[in-house]
Amino acid sequence: MSTTTEHAAVSSAKGLSVEVSKGSVMEKKESSKNYKGFVAGVFSGVAKLSVGHPFDTIKVRLQTSDSTRFSGPLQCLLQTVRKEGVAGLYKGATPPLVGWMFMDSIMLGSLTFYRKFLHQTLFNPNRMYSSPSGFAQRDLPLPDSNIHKLPTVGHAMAGVMAGATVSFIAAPVEHIKARLQIQYSNKKSERLYKGPIDCAKKIYKFHGIPGIYHGLSATLLFRSFFFFWWGSYDVFTRILNERTELSTPAVNFWAGGLSAQVFWMTSYPSDVVKQRIMTDPLAGGLNDGGEWVERVLEGFLALLFESFSSECNGACSI
């Protein structure tokens, strides 16, 4: 081998070594990033649970009971603490603590995926110049991202799709949580379910997988209102970026808070229906009463007129 060839081989080897080294560093950084994201998700779930779960318990109890039990959110809070202690506000806390770690990851991950998918297909200006099967061509070139951005309706559609995806994990988590939240006795011996595992076992024993997923259709209905959440989030983000001097974190904070309000104002009736269906007696071997809400439409017609007005006022007063 000539000297020139040897130098070339050494240089090539060094270059390959550098590339491999860079690749290893990138993989380590990516792994570290994913690890940090998972840890952040755990702490985020704990924070949401510790601060938000008591309010959720009050909301669920108001949504699933009549006015003879609670006159309002404050009375519900005081009565719960007086009869069941502070622990009563945290009934059903374990399912969301575990579930949110997966739900948040799937929600945000699928949202990003659907945004990219819609950006490259339905809302890609170059699609009209491609073959009729442009939807299948996901690698079509995009214009400059600074010029062509996913429109608001695209963000809204991605929100609906992500909401539907995460519903298949959210439904059983929220179902078990809701049933534990409406157990009013402070004595475990008087409760139908001793805890989340016992609840899941008993429901599965007498009703199988359909029993665990009782309320899935109502969950899909409720999370379809992510259309308004993520659509309005994009609108608020654009307005704040164009008309204010706020930093990116501040814009995200305000856009997130405002869009969440839009979501709850539009989705609350469906949330009432969802909670009432999920706490509906399953009957059978559970001996928890006769099932009276069987389908989302029936639940909507039967419950919306009965409870929406008073419960909405109650929840807004929390």
Side-chain angles (χ1 to χ4, degrees):
M1 183 182 292
S2 65
T3 304
T4 303
T5 306
E6 288 179 354
H7 280 303
V10 171
S11 299
S12 177
K14 287 183 178 179
L16 180 60
S17 176
V18 170
E19 289 299 322
V20 171
S21 177
K22 287 182 178 179
S24 300
V25 171
M26 291 297 292
E27 289 178 359
K28 288 181 180 179
K29 287 184 177 180
E30 187 67 25
S31 177
S32 176
K33 183 178 179 181
N34 293 337
Y35 174 75
K36 290 179 180 178
F38 177 77
V39 173
V42 173
F43 282 102
S44 174
V46 172
K48 285 196 296 184
L49 184 74
S50 59
V51 177
H53 194 79
F55 292 96
D56 183 69
T57 298
I58 294 172
K59 176 180 73 71
V60 171
R61 290 189 168 191
L62 288 173
Q63 289 175 325
T64 57
S65 62
D66 54 38
S67 57
T68 60
R69 182 180 288 274
F70 303 117
S71 60
L74 181 59
Q75 195 261 350
C76 177
L77 170 64
L78 295 176
Q79 182 173 313
T80 298
V81 174
R82 184 171 60 252
K83 293 184 177 181
E84 304 168 56
V86 176
L89 298 172
Y90 286 91
K91 285 183 175 179
T94 305
L97 175 61
V98 177
W100 275 337
M101 290 187 291
F102 298 99
M103 289 163 59
D104 288 353
S105 298
I106 292 175
M107 174 64 204
L108 296 177
S110 61
L111 181 67
T112 300
F113 171 80
Y114 292 130
R115 280 173 172 172
K116 183 178 180 180
F117 175 78
L118 291 172
H119 196 197
Q120 293 180 324
T121 55
L122 183 62
F123 296 101
N124 185 349
N126 293 332
R127 189 175 70 89
M128 65 181 65
Y129 301 110
S130 67
S131 64
S133 60
F135 256 107
Q137 300 182 28
R138 295 180 52 194
D139 296 326
L140 289 172
L142 284 170
D144 187 342
S145 60
N146 293 326
I147 299 176
H148 173 66
K149 295 182 178 180
L150 187 67
T152 297
V153 67
H155 286 279
M157 291 172 62
V160 174
M161 296 163 75
T165 300
V166 77
S167 290
F168 290 90
I169 292 181
V173 170
E174 294 179 355
H175 179 204
I176 294 173
K177 173 185 72 71
R179 291 197 178 276
L180 295 175
Q181 285 176 313
I182 62 167
Q183 294 193 128
Y184 295 97
S185 176
N186 190 35
K187 298 179 180 180
K188 289 188 177 182
S189 59
E190 297 177 356
R191 301 176 193 169
L192 178 58
Y193 307 113
K194 298 177 181 179
I197 296 178
D198 180 62
C199 179
K201 283 183 176 179
K202 288 181 177 177
I203 293 175
Y204 179 77
K205 178 180 179 181
F206 295 106
H207 298 281
I209 294 297
I212 297 293
Y213 275 89
H214 184 74
L216 173 61
S217 54
T219 303
L220 289 167
L221 171 65
F222 169 69
R223 291 181 182 270
S224 69
F225 286 89
F226 278 14
F227 180 93
F228 299 100
W229 189 340
W230 293 107
S232 62
Y233 179 83
D234 180 65
V235 171
F236 289 129
T237 299
R238 292 172 189 256
I239 292 175
L240 292 173
N241 280 327
E242 293 172 0
R243 302 184 183 183
T244 70
E245 299 296 327
L246 292 174
S247 64
T248 299
V251 168
N252 293 338
F253 174 82
W254 286 108
L258 292 171
S259 61
Q261 298 303 311
V262 172
F263 166 71
W264 278 108
M265 286 189 292
T266 54
S267 68
Y268 189 80
S270 65
D271 185 55
V272 175
V273 174
K274 176 172 70 74
Q275 299 297 348
R276 294 293 290 269
I277 289 177
M278 285 185 167
T279 55
D280 166 39
L282 292 173
L286 289 173
N287 295 320
D288 59 349
E291 185 175 6
W292 62 282
V293 177
E294 297 180 351
R295 293 185 292 275
V296 172
L297 180 59
E298 290 182 4
F300 190 83
L301 295 176
L303 301 174
L304 180 58
F305 296 103
E306 171 190 345
S307 61
F308 170 60
S309 180
S310 60
E311 301 301 346
C312 185
N313 291 332
C316 291
S317 302
I318 295 179

